[in-house]
Amino acid sequence: MARRRILHPRSIGHTWASVYGVPGEEPTVMRTVRGWRIGALLAAVLLPLAAAGEPGVAVRKPRLLLVPESVVNETAAQQYTQIKRQAAARQLLNRSEPVVTRVRAIAARLIPHAHRFNPKSAQWAWEVNVIDAPMVNAFCMPGGKIMVFTGLIDRLKLTDDELAAVIGHEIAHAALEHGRARMSEAVLKQVGINLAAAYFGLSDLGTTVLAQAAHLAVTLPYSRSHETDADLVGIELAARAGFDPRAAVSVWRKMAALGGAQPPQLLSTHPAHATRIRDLEAALPKVLPLYEAARGRG
């Protein structure tokens, strides 16, 4: 049985995860970066987003961001519009006014706090919509394009605090520019594989093996790191917005109880449920004071 995920819209036809290109066409990002110097592709550092002693979690924002933000956000906006159009055509977009109002109200409390991790987020054209479908899924595309599926709310019977933890996690991906980093990684990996295949005179089979090795050695650990950081930033966003960050732990317990086999963590793009719960519990002392402060102000 396949795993159920709450991450990225891969489950709606790989729209955003297919290296951000249109099937049958050269991806926009490849056209954009054609001719860039290879040396520029190799520059990557990690910058801490929290000073020592500052309240909240400490994560490192990826700086493998060779693709311009404007390209990433424009591509995301186009894909998001396509998803909305497809859902609306099937009469699945924003069908329940109470559910949409609830989701948007929770997101509206979370969004202002994203600026701590990405000041540019204050200028994004945020959107929040709901698709009436049984999938246990939600995502936030680069530029602040949020989508929540009713299956996430209904099947997990989420409280407001739990829903805030999920939406906060997805907002964190956008604020930390994980989509932009993955897009940049895809470009770098594609260039690297093509160069290596040409240099070593590899056959198609050899190129495939090289691509699989790159996937395991580069993509998977990078993705797990993204997920862990989004978990941590998500509970801080929730806490600052006055939602109980402990609800994130209950979300993942519900996910574990929902069922679905998980592959070994080494070969998974996401941390195992038990690992996520452990890391979240360890981070709670850093964000609970923020929650209490927000409640005091409210």
Side-chain angles (χ1 to χ4, degrees):
M1 183 182 296
R3 288 188 301 147
R4 297 175 176 86
R5 297 176 177 173
I6 303 183
L7 302 160
H8 301 298
R10 280 188 288 270
S11 52
I12 51 175
H14 298 264
T15 303
W16 176 245
S18 59
V19 199
Y20 315 96
V22 180
E25 298 181 8
E26 183 182 31
T28 301
V29 65
M30 293 305 292
R31 295 195 297 270
T32 302
V33 302
R34 186 185 301 281
W36 288 6
R37 295 190 178 189
I38 298 300
L41 304 181
L42 302 177
V45 297
L46 291 174
L47 299 181
L49 289 179
E54 184 179 350
V57 301
V59 299
R60 292 178 176 271
K61 186 175 180 179
R63 298 302 298 176
L64 180 59
L65 302 175
L66 59 102
V67 181
E69 181 187 18
S70 60
V71 172
V72 178
N73 290 357
E74 180 182 356
T75 305
Q78 291 172 354
Q79 296 287 355
Y80 190 77
T81 297
Q82 180 181 350
I83 292 168
K84 288 194 302 177
R85 186 180 299 117
Q86 291 172 348
R90 299 173 61 189
Q91 298 184 337
L92 299 176
L93 185 67
N94 298 331
R95 287 182 58 178
S96 171
E97 184 176 349
V99 173
V100 174
T101 299
R102 179 191 179 199
V103 170
R104 286 178 174 170
I106 291 172
R109 289 170 58 181
L110 295 166
I111 288 169
H113 301 286
H115 75 86
R116 177 175 182 266
F117 299 94
N118 190 335
K120 292 182 180 179
S121 66
Q123 281 75 53
W124 290 349
W126 290 85
E127 288 189 59
V128 184
N129 291 286
V130 177
I131 291 180
D132 192 341
M135 296 155 51
V136 180
N137 197 17
F139 58 84
C140 180
M141 290 182 173
K145 307 301 185 184
I146 298 172
M147 190 70 75
V148 174
F149 292 76
T150 56
L152 170 71
I153 301 171
D154 297 338
R155 295 179 65 184
L156 295 183
K157 296 180 172 56
L158 296 182
T159 65
D160 283 0
D161 290 326
E162 290 170 337
L163 185 53
V166 175
I167 297 175
H169 171 100
E170 301 304 333
I171 289 174
H173 277 304
L176 297 174
E177 297 190 276
H178 287 165
R180 185 180 174 194
R182 290 184 64 132
M183 193 186 229
S184 300
E185 178 191 272
V187 173
L188 177 60
K189 187 166 63 176
Q190 185 65 39
V191 170
I193 289 173
N194 289 341
L195 289 177
Y199 182 81
F200 291 109
L202 295 177
S203 63
D204 290 341
L205 177 61
T207 302
T208 299
V209 171
L210 183 62
Q212 292 173 343
H215 179 69
L216 289 174
V218 180
T219 305
L220 296 186
Y222 200 47
S223 297
R224 289 200 300 269
S225 174
H226 284 180
E227 295 303 328
T228 298
D229 285 348
D231 281 346
L232 299 180
V233 171
I235 62 172
E236 177 169 330
L237 296 178
R240 289 182 180 275
F243 295 103
D244 191 339
R246 290 168 291 199
V249 175
S250 64
V251 168
W252 284 106
R253 286 179 176 152
K254 287 182 177 182
M255 283 293 293
L258 189 63
Q262 285 190 298
Q265 186 167 348
L266 178 63
L267 298 179
S268 171
T269 57
H270 307 296
H273 295 320
T275 302
R276 299 187 97 134
I277 291 171
R278 182 196 66 211
D279 292 343
L280 286 166
E281 288 178 332
L284 285 175
K286 300 176 182 178
V287 299
L288 282 172
L290 299 172
Y291 169 57
E292 296 298 338
R295 290 184 62 193
R297 291 190 300 270

